[in-house]
Amino acid sequence: MSLTRRAFTTLAAAAPVAVSLAATPRPAQAAERVAVLGIDADPPTLNLALTTGYASGDIGAKLFEGLLWLDRQWNPQPSLATTWSFTPDGREYRFTLRQGVVWHDGKPFTAADVVFTFNEVLAKYHPRTAGMLKTVGAKVTAPDPQTVVIALEKAYAPFLVQMSVFEAPILPAHIYAGTDIQANPANLAPIGTGPYRFAGFARGSAVTLVRNEHWWGKPGLDKLIFQIIPQAANRASGLETGEVDAIVDFYLPKPDEPRLMQNPKLQFRKGINIPAVYFAMYNTSRGVFADKRARQALAHVIDRQRMVAQVMNGLARPGYGAFGDGFGWLLDAEDRYDVKYKHDPAAAKALLAAAGYKGETVRLVHDAARPQMRAAAAILRDNLRAIGMPMEIVALERAVQLDTVFKKRDFDITLQSYFSAGDPAIGYHRIYETNDSGRPFTNASGYSNKAVDALFAEAATAPDRDRRAVLYRKLQAILNEDLPSFVLFDEETADFATRRLTGLWPAIDARDQWGGVTLAS
Amino acid sequence: MGLLGYTLRRLLHAVPLLLAVAVLNFVLIAAAPGDPVTALVGDFPAPPDYVAKVRLDYGLDQPMPVRLARYLGHLARGDLGYSFANRAPVASLVAERLGATLKLTGTALGVASLLGVALGLAAARRAGGLLDRAVRLGATAAYAMPEFWLGQLFILAFAVWLGWLPSQGDGPLRGAAPGWAGVIEGLRYLLLPATALALRYIALIARITRARAVEVLRAEFVLAARARGASEARILLDHVLRNAAPAVLTVIGYNAGFLLAGSALTETVFGWPGIGRLLFDSIAARDTPTMLAILLMVSATVVLANLVTDVLHRLLDRRVA
């Protein structure tokens, strides 16, 4: 078999693979108020009750509602519940539900949906709320279709904080009852009560929501499109080119944020966020850091200001104490790091010598995928070198890092960051509470102090904030002395949007409360 | 042996090869340190019973050989498995994304083949001339630049600074114009990623074409053709290209499979919703069934591309037995 010359010439001309270049035309609608929001990856589910994933939360917060939402000052504001009250001992909460609310499919919303959601979904599947409901022994009932009562066996101070859409989204019982909750198709095409309803999910590309005409408020936009932009640097570019209208801090690389703040087309909200701390956790069950004097030595030399400037491009505040400074009501000025540990290399060396340190290399483990950890580790290595402590930096893939730190505890220092989720009892107790379970994102330092555990238990259940503040100050006095972990800095955030959008960010969480956002004409 | 027999024999050989690839991929991923479940349950201490449930859902409660046997059994039935990270069957995930990847890689390969051959021939015509030197220098530079870096530069230059082209996605999200305006709009989205992906292959193909063409141009039969008064175009197309074709085709064919693998980075940089991106995301999410399916598909493409290349090679060059 051979080719003729003509056949060859034809073949050569047609050799490139024929491809269809035609884009799928999408119908254009005049004067539609559309906002494009950048996110980082395909959300694995749009059912907010099954995940704390950030992008799922971003989208889900527009589809679903909680009983209440938290404003910038952390005050609970009415959402699906219009009023609420609780008993003085903090063991019974009573919510009155909004009347006339309907689900996106037109069915009426009632107290039965709330009871079902708490008992059958949140208590079983929500990564954070399930544990909380179990710990406090919550019993959820509906005395009438407009009222929900939640009785707790044990009082829990941040209970209302955990009633937001991210921690307790309300799902439709008529869609989920009697089904396999995790496999329900509605998880990827949700029915909520929120200001926007689901319109489509093109994997790898975008999730589209359209205005919910039957929402109890008035949605300000016709369409919300969540564009999936995998590269962090290109999310910032998307804002600059105008392809994207708004992006929450979480998705942006810190080095790009100062530049975006200078962009006249953009507006931003800086410094209002749910607190999160970056910290160095010491392994107190082996080596030199078993002695608290060695941990204190490092507190004298770790350059937190330099970390703020170089690791976070100024978008952080240097470590204040055991819980950072994100919760102003609990700060202990007397025992803060600045007071207890002045920059003093000589004192640090003396403390190390007293701890019996002989110049062994210490091993620092961090998640390789996080550039902030890499940069903070490099500064830490400089700081330690100055006092004669060599440090080996081990950057590991996320799952390997979790295994190495929390299960095997094969580290001397590890860099971690924990999100408070709105209250120290939700997110920060785990840094210091005794925990030998090997579960990721807990206390892997091996530090165990019964007095500390007892104070934490009381701080979590005391309903009165003044009492809680006293307890947290006692805790800071102990923890700033013992230093099983050392807070390097509190993260500050900056959320960005085009100036054409108005009504942005009334909530503490920038993803929440988009019903009132609209486009300026 | 006839061409049909040869093709069938090669296809038959591909089966154990792909089986070995499937087993190797599975074992390597299973042997990777770290618990995939911890990567999946988020960044809060999930309750132990919740973690146990996720582990059960993923089938990770079983020992590795059992999981491997189960995987191969499903594969034999054409079942690629279920992606828990995406909560969807892997086959439908891949099918949804394949079109975008074919559009991107097909365009890149097409453009690279055409431009590469044209540039190579043009350079060979005056070997050592200005154009030749420019092509050789350009090809070396283009070959040396990683696609993802080039892509990032393209975005900065053409999307952020000049504002000419979109930086992300495979089409307008806010609603596209109908008809030809829509087609042109679609092309604007394709231009940067396809160019970023194609440049390396343009360089490769141009260099090979040039090298072969220079050799052929020195051959006696070309001299004879010139003596017969054949036009320059005829000499290039009929004599040079035809004789250079087997080598050029080999390069194009062998690289077609790698192009698919290489599109992962380009797709990630440009937010292109193809299977390369899906692979990248599945690695980050430790989504083993999706990873395995795409790796197997890339391997199958490489095998198939090699087979097609060899068959074409035999058609073009009768000396290949």
Side-chain angles (χ1 to χ4, degrees):
Chain A
M1 186 176 165
S2 70
L3 281 181
T4 63
R5 182 184 300 165
R6 181 169 298 164
F8 172 74
T9 316
T10 315
L11 187 70
V17 180
V19 277
S20 153
L21 297 177
T24 315
R26 286 156 207 172
Q29 285 179 20
E32 226 185 15
R33 289 167 304 172
V34 181
V36 177
L37 280 62
I39 56 172
D40 58 347
D42 283 23
T45 175
L46 295 174
N47 182 349
L48 254 191
L50 302 182
T51 180
T52 52
Y54 205 82
S56 296
D58 205 340
I59 302 164
K62 282 85 175 170
L63 293 163
F64 293 102
E65 292 171 298
L67 291 174
L68 46 86
W69 62 278
L70 301 165
D71 69 16
R72 290 173 175 214
Q73 285 75 42
W74 301 90
N75 300 312
Q77 298 291 341
S79 186
L80 283 176
T82 50
T83 58
W84 52 89
S85 59
F86 50 91
T87 52
D89 65 356
R91 290 183 50 200
E92 189 182 292
Y93 289 78
R94 180 174 287 261
F95 298 90
T96 304
L97 303 183
R98 191 178 292 278
Q99 301 217 358
V101 175
V102 291
W103 294 99
H104 293 160
D105 62 1
K107 298 271 193 323
F109 157 78
T110 69
D113 293 306
V114 181
V115 174
F116 171 80
T117 302
F118 271 88
N119 292 340
E120 300 303 323
V121 189
L122 297 173
K124 293 178 182 169
Y125 303 103
H126 193 281
R128 271 198 288 263
T129 307
M132 182 275 283
L133 292 172
K134 197 172 167 188
T135 310
V136 302
K139 192 162 172 273
V140 186
T141 52
D144 65 66
Q146 297 306 128
T147 309
V148 171
V149 174
I150 305 182
L152 312 182
E153 281 172 19
K154 280 190 270 182
Y156 182 58
F159 188 76
L160 284 180
V161 171
Q162 275 192 277
M163 292 300 105
S164 75
V165 68
F166 303 104
E167 309 295 316
I170 305 302
L171 303 188
H174 67 277
I175 299 286
Y176 283 96
T179 70
D180 176 354
I181 306 281
Q182 295 199 88
N184 194 304
N187 294 340
L188 286 171
I191 303 287
T193 57
Y196 295 91
R197 60 189 169 78
F198 178 78
F201 180 8
R203 281 183 201 278
S205 182
V207 178
T208 305
L209 314 183
V210 293
R211 89 191 251 115
N212 170 16
E213 300 289 351
H214 305 293
W215 189 47
W216 50 267
K218 192 167 175 268
L221 297 165
D222 297 307
K223 200 184 264 183
L224 273 182
I225 300 170
F226 293 87
Q227 183 170 11
I228 298 153
I229 307 177
Q231 289 282 85
N234 294 336
R235 286 173 222 137
S237 310
L239 275 171
E240 288 170 307
T241 61
E243 287 166 81
V244 175
D245 294 312
I247 299 191
V248 179
D249 174 273
F250 175 86
Y251 306 115
L252 291 169
K254 292 284 181 204
D256 287 342
E257 292 191 359
R259 188 182 80 239
L260 294 175
M261 285 177 196
Q262 305 294 320
N263 189 322
K265 289 184 197 151
L266 301 175
Q267 56 181 318
F268 62 93
R269 173 179 93 156
K270 180 170 170 267
I272 298 169
N273 58 286
I274 297 174
V277 288
Y278 283 65
F279 57 96
M281 184 181 276
Y282 301 105
N283 192 341
T284 66
S285 51
R286 78 173 198 196
V288 65
F289 296 119
D291 190 316
K292 82 172 173 190
R293 287 170 295 187
R295 308 194 295 264
Q296 290 170 336
L298 268 54
H300 280 293
V301 292
I302 294 177
D303 192 344
R304 308 192 298 287
Q305 285 288 1
R306 185 176 159 202
M307 287 185 185
V308 167
Q310 294 180 359
V311 176
M312 301 297 280
N313 275 54
L315 280 160
R317 298 180 303 273
Y320 180 95
F323 309 116
D325 66 353
F327 296 101
W329 52 271
L330 56 69
L331 297 184
D332 175 11
E334 271 172 42
D335 294 297
R336 67 180 198 268
Y337 294 160
D338 275 350
V339 172
K340 285 179 77 82
Y341 308 102
K342 303 271 185 223
H343 178 72
D344 190 346
K349 283 182 186 167
L351 280 165
L352 280 183
Y357 178 63
K358 298 278 191 298
E360 305 88 349
T361 299
V362 295
R363 175 183 160 92
L364 179 141
V365 175
H366 74 85
D367 180 346
R370 303 194 59 190
Q372 304 95 321
M373 299 309 188
R374 191 167 55 234
I379 293 173
L380 198 57
R381 183 168 55 190
D382 273 2
N383 297 156
L384 266 56
R385 193 186 290 134
I387 53 169
M389 179 179 266
M391 187 173 93
E392 172 200 13
I393 298 176
V394 184
L396 298 171
E397 190 266 341
R398 180 180 148 93
V400 183
Q401 185 262 142
L402 294 176
D403 202 50
T404 306
V405 170
F406 294 95
K407 282 214 177 100
K408 299 186 180 132
R409 292 195 172 163
D410 183 16
F411 68 95
D412 296 306
I413 307 175
T414 178
L415 298 183
Q416 303 288 334
S417 70
Y418 283 2
F419 174 61
S420 69
D423 193 281
I426 309 174
Y428 288 169
H429 289 196
R430 59 190 166 132
I431 307 175
Y432 303 103
E433 264 177 341
T434 302
N435 193 314
D436 54 7
S437 68
R439 281 160 68 194
F441 312 110
T442 55
N443 172 14
S445 72
Y447 176 75
S448 174
N449 183 332
K450 286 204 171 70
V452 165
D453 291 345
L455 284 165
F456 273 134
E458 196 186 342
T461 51
D464 171 25
R465 184 179 272 188
D466 291 341
R467 173 67 192 147
R468 295 185 74 202
V470 170
L471 297 165
Y472 282 119
R473 287 192 192 108
K474 282 187 188 170
L475 278 159
Q476 284 167 92
I478 302 170
L479 295 168
N480 293 357
E481 171 72 16
D482 287 357
L483 296 176
S485 284
F486 183 73
V487 173
L488 303 171
F489 48 85
D490 256 81
E491 185 175 22
E492 269 199 15
T493 63
D495 308 301
F496 291 85
T498 162
R499 288 196 177 277
R500 295 184 308 128
L501 287 174
T502 60
L504 286 160
W505 310 311
I508 185 74
D509 190 318
R511 298 170 296 172
D512 200 4
Q513 298 305 303
W514 273 69
V517 175
T518 191
L519 270 174
S521 54
Chain B
M1 191 198 309
L3 193 66
L4 189 67
Y6 170 79
T7 309
L8 285 177
R9 191 166 55 95
R10 287 285 305 270
L11 275 176
L12 216 61
H13 284 175
V15 175
L17 181 68
L18 288 177
L19 182 70
V21 165
V23 172
L24 195 68
N25 284 342
F26 188 96
V27 173
L28 281 176
I29 292 172
D35 184 353
V37 174
T38 57
L40 292 160
V41 294
D43 56 0
F44 237 74
D49 37 355
Y50 178 82
V51 175
K53 192 164 170 38
V54 175
R55 196 178 299 281
L56 192 73
D57 285 344
Y58 271 71
L60 286 167
D61 53 327
Q62 301 291 327
M64 203 268 276
V66 175
R67 284 185 279 138
L68 175 61
R70 195 185 287 170
Y71 166 66
L72 292 176
H74 283 231
L75 204 58
R77 292 196 297 275
D79 178 3
L80 293 176
Y82 187 82
S83 159
F84 284 89
N86 289 286
R87 293 176 201 256
V90 173
S92 77
L93 277 178
V94 171
E96 269 174 36
R97 309 282 280 264
L98 195 58
T101 293
L102 288 179
K103 187 160 123 183
L104 178 63
T105 51
T107 307
L109 192 64
V111 169
S113 307
L114 273 181
L115 274 181
V117 169
L119 284 172
L121 286 180
R125 268 190 71 195
R126 303 262 185 279
L130 197 64
L131 182 68
D132 182 32
R133 276 184 284 166
V135 167
R136 277 190 290 160
L137 185 71
T140 309
Y143 195 69
M145 281 188 275
E147 292 106 332
F148 62 91
W149 182 75
L150 200 66
Q152 210 66 60
L153 284 189
F154 278 0
I155 288 176
L156 265 183
F158 296 104
V160 178
W161 294 337
L162 296 169
W164 291 348
L165 293 164
S167 69
Q168 294 290 303
D170 67 336
L173 292 172
R174 293 175 205 258
W180 281 106
V183 174
I184 290 168
E185 187 67 16
L187 281 172
R188 291 180 69 238
Y189 279 84
L190 184 61
L191 192 57
L192 289 185
T195 311
L197 188 58
L199 265 183
R200 192 183 172 80
Y201 296 95
I202 294 176
L204 190 66
I205 294 166
R207 283 172 65 109
I208 298 292
T209 308
R210 181 200 165 275
R212 277 298 292 146
V214 165
E215 241 174 77
V216 177
L217 277 168
R218 289 194 194 119
E220 284 178 355
F221 65 86
V222 172
L223 193 64
R226 284 218 170 95
R228 285 199 303 275
S231 72
E232 202 58 17
R234 194 184 172 98
I235 288 172
L236 276 181
L237 280 178
D238 272 6
H239 296 284
V240 179
L241 187 55
R242 189 166 184 190
N243 280 286
V248 174
L249 207 66
T250 307
V251 170
I252 295 174
Y254 286 171
N255 279 287
F258 295 115
L259 193 72
L260 190 64
S263 72
L265 292 173
T266 307
E267 288 182 2
T268 304
V269 169
F270 288 96
W272 192 267
I275 55 163
R277 262 272 304 289
L278 186 62
L279 175 64
F280 187 89
D281 291 343
S282 66
I283 293 168
R286 288 247 176 165
D287 181 3
T288 309
T290 310
M291 254 191 277
L292 287 172
I294 298 175
L295 291 176
L296 190 63
M297 214 172 96
V298 172
S299 312
T301 313
V302 172
V303 169
L304 200 69
N306 284 0
L307 176 60
V308 171
T309 308
D310 288 350
V311 169
L312 284 177
H313 204 160
R314 278 174 69 110
L315 288 177
L316 290 171
D317 190 344
R318 300 287 292 154
R319 288 167 297 180
V320 180

